[in-house]
Amino acid sequence: MDNRALTRAFQLAAQLMELHDENPFKIRAIEGTANALDALSFPVSEVERSGLPDRTGLSKTAAAKVAELLDTGTFSDLQRLLDITPPGVVEMLKIKGIGPKKIRSLWRELGIETIDQLREAAETDQVSKLKGFGKKTQESILEALDFAGQSQGKVLYPQAEQLAADLAQRLREALQTEQVAEAGELRRRLEIVETVRLVAATEQPLKAHELLNSLDGLTADPRRSGPFAWRGRATESGVQVEVLVVAPEAFATEVFLNSAANEHLDETLPGVQGGAPATLRQWARREKFQQEEALYEKAGLQFVAPELREGLGEIALAAEKKLPRLLEDGDLRGSLHNHSTYSDGNHSIREMSTWLRDHGYEYLGLCDHSQAAHYANGLGPERVRQQHQEIDKLNAELAPFRIFKGIESDILGDGSLDYSNDVLASFDFIVASVHSNLKMDERKATDRLLRAIENPYTTMLGHPTGRLLLRRQGYPIDYKAVIDACAKHQVIIEINANPWRLDLDWRWVRYALDQGVQLSINPDAHHTNGYEDMRYGVLMGRKGLLTKEMTFNAKSVDEVATYFAERKANIKPPLEYKKSLFE
């Protein structure tokens, strides 16, 4: 059980305690344990149980609960609450936008114990009549239920990746072969996966079926399976699982055919003559290939990476040998958009910086929340001054590693940035993001972003739609208008690499590049673990043909420093701010 699973268990316990109206002090203690676990940078499961209090800083009581959770998969307080709570009510705690207190009212006053009962009560206008609810809350519940229904049986890319890796390893061991590969949506690096598909080569397909049927956590679907295909689902998430069993000599071909959209496989190839196959699918069916590269070469095409195989013009580019070298993880030189304990981060500026430095990066862009973000301990002007003093000291100590003074400034309802120009002028750069008032229509939401982009202090646009994949739809925007404005005002757009966001959507990356807009792979890290998310942003960038040259944080520390300084110098009127705020 990793730290995130431990944290989630304690967070659930705190929600259930609030649901049952238990002692607020005990709830805060459980929440404190969850926060403490989330802040740790080492695997708690590897610590000797007797040493948990010393290593984690937890009280002996809290450490005992953690030890119990590690050893049994639960702890007494959590299990007691689960035993007295209907499973459907526990499920309702996952609904975005309604907390434990409202769920308690729904459960106790309307007798609602399942998601279906909640939907029926909302559709028959019973929910709006409860004290503290009303029509708007009822509508929000229905919207959340509709979105949750659409998300069932789908998982984020990292979850699919982990499931596929575990299954692949088991198949390699059982079949005694290295010819096991991910395919489908996962190999194309889609941000949401509905089917985890693997291709395995063996002369004994029955062995693959026996293994998969024996695994806990998988539920077989015999009606959809056959001698050369095992199909079922992951029991917990509901995501579909498919394992195709092929002969060893057909392995490379079948991996290829199952790693591209139909539009890519069936597009007519340019310049086809005589009796040559007209599509990549036809080439794959006519000849046996040991490598995908050989198939593309035979078809007269530049090799197309799996993440590009969507049928979105990549065939024409490959025919003209115009596919660029795509961005790679190792191209990134620094991390911009990071949070520290000054706002809602789990680690200090020093801890965030030294982690990056020790892992070969050149700089950190600190972007704690601005003052309007009360929920995230946003920084007022005085705390900005204190933070900048700390950054100056750390820069002197950690050089040549550099910390850039940034802020994630809230875009307010009218499109203005949070802080006066005096305070905005004190930062090296500013990431402008929307965090509130997410119910605007497309015109208002777009106008709001356009005004923020026009602000000369805006360096970068953060997570443009505010979406949370499988949790919350983003607000509607006119993508072209927003990207065009960023091009005009030379504003960078982030690809927020948090796997719940991955925003800017990769489908708009190519348009941004065509307009000359630079992109930045930003982890939005609140914890040193968050830096691992940068690879997901790289994958999304690659799907949109992002290159090193067009990636802002692939620049060196000196290039970034020069860019920020020149941009500030060009702001008119000249930068002047009140010394009383920052001395």
Side-chain angles (χ1 to χ4, degrees):
M1 184 175 284
D2 62 19
N3 289 11
R4 290 185 179 182
L6 293 172
T7 301
R8 286 195 297 270
F10 278 91
Q11 288 171 337
L12 175 59
Q15 285 183 302
L16 289 168
M17 291 173 74
E18 187 174 353
L19 176 75
H20 289 281
D21 201 18
E22 297 200 357
N23 188 310
F25 295 103
K26 291 184 178 180
I27 295 174
R28 282 199 287 274
I30 293 292
E31 289 174 338
T33 302
N35 292 334
L37 290 169
D38 190 44
L40 296 175
S41 56
F42 56 87
V44 176
S45 60
E46 297 177 7
V47 178
E48 288 289 337
R49 303 300 184 254
S50 59
L52 280 172
D54 290 336
R55 286 294 309 279
T56 63
L58 295 171
S59 67
K60 290 184 178 180
T61 301
K65 297 181 193 296
V66 173
E68 184 182 0
L69 179 57
L70 287 168
D71 292 338
T72 68
T74 187
F75 59 97
S76 56
D77 287 339
L78 174 59
Q79 195 56 52
R80 171 182 62 80
L81 293 161
L82 289 171
D83 288 343
I84 61 174
T85 311
V89 174
V90 177
E91 191 70 19
M92 283 193 280
L93 290 170
K94 300 177 183 177
I95 299 172
K96 196 73 179 175
I98 54 173
K101 291 181 180 178
K102 278 189 164 55
I103 291 172
R104 182 169 71 233
S105 296
L106 292 166
W107 177 24
R108 293 182 176 175
E109 297 182 37
L110 291 182
I112 293 172
E113 295 188 355
T114 68
I115 297 290
D116 288 342
Q117 289 175 351
L118 176 57
R119 179 183 294 278
E120 182 180 355
E123 288 176 343
T124 56
D125 199 27
Q126 297 178 57
V127 172
S128 68
K129 295 179 174 60
L130 283 177
K131 184 179 179 180
F133 282 77
K135 293 284 188 182
K136 286 188 177 180
T137 300
Q138 182 171 269
E139 290 172 6
S140 296
I141 289 173
L142 284 171
E143 289 176 7
L145 290 175
D146 287 342
F147 190 71
Q150 296 167 11
S151 301
Q152 285 184 348
K154 301 175 184 178
V155 295
L156 299 181
Y157 176 85
Q159 297 169 274
E161 184 181 44
Q162 184 60 58
L163 175 58
D166 291 344
L167 291 176
Q169 184 58 35
R170 290 175 179 269
L171 285 164
R172 290 187 186 101
E173 294 171 357
L175 303 177
Q176 297 184 326
T177 179
E178 289 302 310
Q179 287 187 304
V180 179
E182 63 185 29
E185 300 158 336
L186 185 61
R187 190 154 185 250
R188 283 159 45 212
R189 315 304 187 196
L190 288 174
E191 65 271 41
I192 295 173
V193 175
E194 296 184 47
T195 301
V196 174
R197 181 177 298 160
L198 297 171
V199 178
T202 181
E203 299 289 2
Q204 303 178 68
L206 185 59
K207 276 192 174 182
H209 281 264
E210 290 173 348
L211 168 70
L212 295 164
N213 287 332
S214 70
L215 292 179
D216 291 335
L218 291 184
T219 302
D221 186 349
R223 295 173 300 174
R224 297 176 54 246
S225 301
F228 303 103
W230 185 96
R231 294 185 176 90
R233 60 183 177 84
T235 309
E236 183 176 352
S237 67
V239 70
Q240 297 295 316
V241 177
E242 182 174 277
V243 178
L244 305 178
V245 184
V246 302
E249 62 271 17
F251 179 71
T253 297
E254 290 303 319
V255 170
F256 168 73
L257 288 171
N258 285 280
S259 298
N262 289 331
E263 292 80 1
H264 181 83
L265 294 173
D266 296 329
E267 182 174 335
T268 301
L269 302 173
V272 174
Q273 296 180 353
T279 68
L280 288 171
R281 190 190 300 277
Q282 290 174 7
W283 271 111
R285 290 305 186 198
R286 192 174 88 165
E287 298 186 27
K288 286 186 173 64
F289 295 92
Q290 296 305 307
Q291 294 91 24
E292 292 176 320
E293 290 83 353
L295 189 156
Y296 281 101
E297 182 178 357
K298 190 81 175 202
L301 301 176
Q302 185 181 1
F303 176 71
V304 180
E307 51 264 53
L308 294 179
R309 299 173 191 171
E310 298 287 351
L312 296 174
E314 69 277 3
I315 293 288
L317 291 173
E320 297 175 8
K321 307 296 190 288
K322 290 185 177 179
L323 287 173
R325 175 191 172 275
L326 301 178
L327 179 71
E328 297 178 358
D329 293 342
D331 293 329
L332 301 183
R333 309 280 289 274
S335 174
L336 301 168
H337 192 168
N338 307 274
H339 297 263
S340 75
T341 49
Y342 269 87
S343 62
D344 60 344
N346 295 109
H347 288 149
S348 67
I349 303 173
R350 177 185 292 277
E351 289 170 322
M352 299 293 278
S353 301
T354 53
W355 191 100
L356 283 173
R357 181 200 62 184
D358 295 346
H359 285 78
Y361 292 93
E362 299 177 17
Y363 52 89
L364 172 144
L366 191 63
C367 289
D368 277 310
H369 285 284
S370 63
Q371 58 188 351
H374 303 293
Y375 57 88
N377 194 29
L379 279 63
E382 174 59 24
R383 294 181 63 226
V384 169
R385 183 190 67 81
Q386 293 171 0
Q387 186 181 81
H388 287 183
Q389 289 178 340
E390 181 175 343
I391 290 172
D392 288 339
K393 292 178 182 178
L394 286 169
N395 274 334
E397 176 185 338
L398 300 177
F401 185 89
R402 172 96 180 249
I403 305 166
F404 290 105
K405 299 170 183 174
I407 197 76
E408 185 178 19
S409 179
D410 266 30
I411 300 174
L412 305 180
D414 62 358
S416 60
L417 297 186
D418 190 20
Y419 295 128
S420 66
N421 288 349
D422 300 332
V423 180
L424 293 173
S426 70
F427 298 101
D428 294 320
F429 75 110
I430 289 163
V431 175
S433 304
V434 170
H435 292 104
S436 59
N437 197 4
L438 305 180
K439 295 293 186 180
M440 290 183 176
D441 61 28
E442 181 177 312
R443 183 184 62 79
K444 289 183 178 179
T446 300
D447 288 346
R448 180 189 195 181
L449 291 184
L450 294 181
R451 183 174 180 193
I453 292 165
E454 292 168 1
N455 190 310
Y457 291 99
T458 298
T459 318
M460 189 180 303
L461 181 63
H463 45 72
T465 72
R467 73 183 186 182
L468 293 176
L469 296 169
L470 302 181
R471 289 182 179 178
R472 179 181 74 203
Q473 290 180 326
Y475 40 85
I477 63 171
D478 181 336
Y479 278 94
K480 286 189 176 182
V482 169
I483 292 170
D484 290 347
C486 287
K488 178 180 178 181
H489 297 282
Q490 296 184 324
V491 169
I492 302 158
I493 300 178
E494 80 168 9
I495 298 179
N496 191 295
N498 184 310
W500 288 102
R501 290 190 183 275
L502 299 178
D503 184 17
L504 180 72
D505 190 304
W506 65 265
R507 295 160 186 83
W508 286 97
V509 167
R510 195 179 304 185
Y511 182 80
L513 297 178
D514 289 344
Q515 309 315 306
V517 176
Q518 293 187 85
L519 302 176
S520 183
I521 306 297
N522 290 349
D524 200 352
H526 290 66
H527 189 293
T528 54
N529 288 348
Y531 294 133
E532 298 172 3
D533 291 345
M534 285 200 281
R535 65 179 293 263
Y536 304 122
V538 170
L539 292 176
M540 295 304 106
R542 287 172 62 90
K543 284 190 72 62
L545 286 177
L546 182 58
T547 63
K548 174 183 177 181
E549 292 71 25
M550 290 300 291
T551 304
F552 184 75
N553 59 316
K555 296 180 184 296
S556 69
V557 63
D558 290 336
E559 289 172 320
V560 170
T562 298
Y563 180 94
F564 288 158
E566 290 179 350
R567 185 170 178 84
K568 286 183 65 173
N570 289 331
I571 295 176
K572 307 297 182 184
L575 299 182
E576 293 180 0
Y577 51 89
K578 298 176 182 177
K579 293 183 179 180
S580 60
L581 287 173
F582 299 103
E583 286 187 349

